[in-house]
């Protein structure tokens, strides 16, 4: 293809032979072709394409002008590229700084959230520890020791009665009755010796004593079987109710060790009036029935009447716990 820069013919005429010949020689020396024929060819080409013909003398000037322009263009492009590079770098640095700031903000938020959650967990653990400490109490009191000793003595009293040693059995029964009176008096007179655990231990020991005595007396034919059944059924019912109350009142976690931890008191039992009367009647009936072979009044009518009275009060006591179940036990809650 021909270059974009085309030539125009000189303004002065080329009729002078020397000049024309010199120009043709120069073109021939430079371009390697005949001057006249090359100029004619260019003139025809320029006439056909509509370009303006320029002088051969402007070739070096035109070439130098294009190199300078290209250098300016290259410098402008280089400057533009450098500016764009700086702008891109500044934009990228801004994006990085923004992302870094957002990351630091999120990190600080997560750290604060974790610290707050850890603080709440620690506070909750402290509250639980304080709650457990408040629920625990000293059970190594004199009334509780007397109650436990009566519970341990009860099976042995039953064994002595079954063996037919009624006198020794009567003596041990008196000792058990004295411990029952003493633990209540001590707990009422000295509040430091009172405990919520005693409200469950005392009736449990009484039920164990009653059960051991009535079964041994029934085995020795000193008490009717129907009365023994009524007393045992009532005691089993109350013991089962105590286990249910213990499970209901025990706060989470409901573990086996915490369930049978006597120092972890969760409920307090309040016996009804008829239950207290029944306990006294049962003790009197057991003592009088045990003394029948000693003082020879077996099958006395008064003894039979006492048996029926004991059966009636036992049934009434069991019903009183069912009817007044909301007032017979109190669940111990955390103090606020």
């Amino acid at each position: 293809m021909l270059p974009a820069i085309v030539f125009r013919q000189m303004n002065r005429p080329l009729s002078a032979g020397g000049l024309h010949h010199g120009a043709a020689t120069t073109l021939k020396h430079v371009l390697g072709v005949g001057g006249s024929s090359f100029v004619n060819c260019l003139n025809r080409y320029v006439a056909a394409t509509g370009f303006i013909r320029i002088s051969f003398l402007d070739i070096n000037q035109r070439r130098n002008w294009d190199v300078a322009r290209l250098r300016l263009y290259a410098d402008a492009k280089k400057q533009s590229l450098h500016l764009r590079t700086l702008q891109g770098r500044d934009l990228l640095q801004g994006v990085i700084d923004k992302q870094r700031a957002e990351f630091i903000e999120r990190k600080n938020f997560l750290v604060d959230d974790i610290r707050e959650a850890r603080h709440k967990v620690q506070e909750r653990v402290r509250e639980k520890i304080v709650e457990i400490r408040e629920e625990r109490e000293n059970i190594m009191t004199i009334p509780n020791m007397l109650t436990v000793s009566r519970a341990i003595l009860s099976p042995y009293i039953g064994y002595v009665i079954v063996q037919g040693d009624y006198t020794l059995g009567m003596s041990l029964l008196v000792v058990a009755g004295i411990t029952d009176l003493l633990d209540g008096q001590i707990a009422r007179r000295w509040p430091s010796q009172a405990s919520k655990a005693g409200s469950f231990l005392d009736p449990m020991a009484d039920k164990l004593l009653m059960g051991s005595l009535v079964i041994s007396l029934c085995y020795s034919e000193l008490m009717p079987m129907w009365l023994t059944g009524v007393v045992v059924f009532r005691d089993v019912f109350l013991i089962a109710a105590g286990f249910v109350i213990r499970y209901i009142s025990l706060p989470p976690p409901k573990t086996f060790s915490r369930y049978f931890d006597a120092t972890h008191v969760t409920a307090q039992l309040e016996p009804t009036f008829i239950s207290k009367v029944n306990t006294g009647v049962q003790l009197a009936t057991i003592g009088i029935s045990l003394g029948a072979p000693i003082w020879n009044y077996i099958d006395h009518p008064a003894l039979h009447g006492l048996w029926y009275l004991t059966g009636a009060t036992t049934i009434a006591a069991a019903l009183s716990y069912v009817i007044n179940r909301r007032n017979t036990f109190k669940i111990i809650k955390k103090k606020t």
Side-chain angles (χ1 to χ4, degrees):
M1 296 179 60
L2 291 175
I5 300 175
V6 296
F7 303 100
R8 62 183 179 85
Q9 192 176 10
M10 296 177 58
N11 292 330
R12 61 179 178 269
L14 297 177
S15 57
L19 182 59
H20 188 275
H21 179 74
T25 304
T26 302
L27 288 176
K28 181 177 180 181
H29 175 74
V30 175
L31 300 176
V33 294
S36 59
S37 61
F38 179 73
V39 170
N40 294 332
C41 180
L42 287 178
N43 288 335
R44 288 194 298 269
Y45 173 78
V46 169
T49 56
F51 286 100
I52 302 175
R53 291 172 293 177
I54 62 175
S55 174
F56 297 111
L57 299 178
D58 296 333
I59 292 176
N60 293 331
Q61 183 181 358
R62 188 70 178 180
R63 183 182 61 187
N64 295 333
W65 179 84
D66 288 338
V67 171
R69 186 176 180 182
L70 287 175
R71 287 179 180 176
L72 292 176
Y73 178 78
D75 293 338
K77 285 293 183 179
K78 183 178 179 181
Q79 185 68 20
S80 176
L81 181 61
H82 180 67
L83 293 176
R84 289 183 182 182
T85 303
L86 294 178
Q87 292 177 356
R89 185 175 63 183
D90 294 339
L91 180 62
L92 181 60
Q93 187 66 33
V95 173
I96 293 175
D97 293 339
K98 183 178 179 181
Q99 292 293 330
R100 182 182 299 172
E102 292 179 356
F103 176 76
I104 294 174
E105 184 179 359
R106 291 181 181 180
K107 184 190 71 174
N108 295 333
F109 177 77
L110 290 176
V111 170
D112 295 339
D113 192 18
I114 292 172
R115 289 177 179 174
E116 184 178 359
R118 184 177 61 182
H119 180 70
K120 289 181 179 180
V121 170
Q122 291 176 350
E123 290 294 330
R124 185 59 178 169
V125 170
R126 293 192 189 99
E127 292 177 359
K128 282 295 182 181
I129 293 175
V130 173
E131 180 181 351
I132 292 174
R133 288 178 178 175
E134 290 179 353
E135 291 172 351
R136 291 181 180 272
E137 64 177 3
N138 181 23
I139 63 172
M140 302 302 293
T141 60
I142 295 176
N144 290 342
M145 291 181 181
L146 293 173
T147 301
V148 173
S149 64
R150 183 170 69 254
I152 296 174
L153 187 62
S154 298
Y156 181 70
I157 298 175
Y159 172 76
V160 170
I161 294 173
V162 170
Q163 295 299 319
D165 193 352
Y166 303 121
T167 303
L168 180 58
M170 179 63 72
S171 301
L172 295 176
L173 179 59
V174 172
V175 173
I178 293 174
T179 60
D180 191 15
L181 293 175
L182 285 177
D183 63 6
Q185 291 296 326
I186 294 174
R188 283 189 290 270
R189 288 180 178 270
W190 290 277
S192 60
Q193 295 295 314
S195 63
K196 299 178 180 64
S199 65
F200 272 95
L201 292 176
D202 185 66
M204 290 293 179
D206 292 340
K207 302 303 178 291
L208 183 58
L209 176 63
M210 295 297 177
S212 301
L213 292 175
V214 297
I215 292 175
S216 59
L217 290 174
C218 179
Y219 181 82
S220 301
E221 297 182 353
L222 297 177
M223 182 175 289
M225 185 176 292
W226 65 266
L227 180 58
T228 301
V230 171
V231 174
V232 172
F233 176 78
R234 182 249 189 180
D235 292 344
V236 171
F237 169 75
L238 292 180
I239 292 173
F243 279 106
V244 173
I245 293 171
R246 171 66 171 176
Y247 180 80
I248 293 174
S249 61
L250 184 66
K254 298 180 184 292
T255 60
F256 187 82
S257 59
R258 295 183 72 236
Y259 183 84
F260 289 99
D261 186 1
T263 62
H264 190 191
V265 181
T266 57
Q268 184 175 5
L269 182 64
E270 295 291 340
T272 61
F273 174 75
I274 189 63
S275 176
K276 296 178 180 179
V277 173
N278 175 248
T279 301
V281 172
Q282 284 184 355
L283 286 173
T285 302
I286 290 173
I288 294 172
S289 299
L290 183 59
I294 300 175
W295 295 294
N296 297 320
Y297 55 83
I298 298 176
D299 289 335
H300 193 278
L303 184 59
H304 286 271
L306 184 60
W307 289 343
Y308 286 109
L309 177 62
T310 304
T313 56
T314 301
I315 295 173
L319 292 176
S320 68
Y321 280 110
V322 176
I323 295 173
N324 298 322
R325 58 184 179 275
R326 293 185 178 179
N327 299 325
T328 54
F329 68 92
K330 179 177 65 175
I331 297 178
I332 302 173
K333 296 182 179 180
K334 175 185 174 183
K335 295 180 181 180
T336 56

